[in-house]
Amino acid sequence: MSGDRLAAFGYELGVLKRIRRAGWWQAGVRDPESVAEHTMRVAQLAGLLATEEGANPERAAYLALWHDTQETRTGDLPHSAKPYVDKPDPRRITADQTSALPQPARDSVRGAVDEYENAASAEARCARDADKLEMLLQAVEYRHIGVAGTGEWIDSAQRTLTTTTARRVAEAALTLSPLAWRE
């Protein structure tokens, strides 16, 4: 029975591969990355930030993996929707999503979302910064291929970064070419 519940949740998580990051359409990006693609780099960055900040990289990456899973139920809402739509409560959505899971899995996912949303731990702050840093990197990549108007995403990300490491990475990212890794 628990295998069925985990499999069903696995299918729901697969929806994230098909949900596109909606805000980029407003900037003119025809085929923006999926929520799953965004989440992958967020988790990787969260682990790296946590390592540099002296926090637990595995925990930070785990928190990042769950930060947008609620979008299977809501879609990705761009910031322009804020005046018209109340922000869905991630904890409530996660509670619904995980209600049929075996207790250990349910508690693990709910705990991760709660910790991420509270931003009280160093790992949560690294995961939250990784989310904004990933958006900044994506904006720079889009700008590099000619998408105009990515500045508001870059500015928004920079304003909300809290860790020293994330601020340093953002500053460096703005001076480097997205192809700098090839050198």
Side-chain angles (χ1 to χ4, degrees), residues 18-58:
R18 296 185 294 278
I19 296 174
R20 298 289 165 196
R21 304 261 297 155
W24 295 120
W25 282 319
Q26 295 172 353
V29 177
R30 285 181 168 253
D31 187 25
E33 75 281 7
S34 70
V35 173
E37 291 166 324
H38 161 74
T39 298
M40 172 71 171
R41 186 157 60 173
V42 172
Q44 292 167 327
L45 290 168
L48 294 172
L49 293 177
T51 298
E52 293 296 313
E53 291 286 319
N56 181 318
E58 293 87 1

Side-chain angles (χ1 to χ4, degrees), residues 145-158:
I145 61 169
V147 177
T150 61
E152 69 182 86
W153 281 268
I154 293 168
D155 295 342
S156 171
Q158 283 188 290

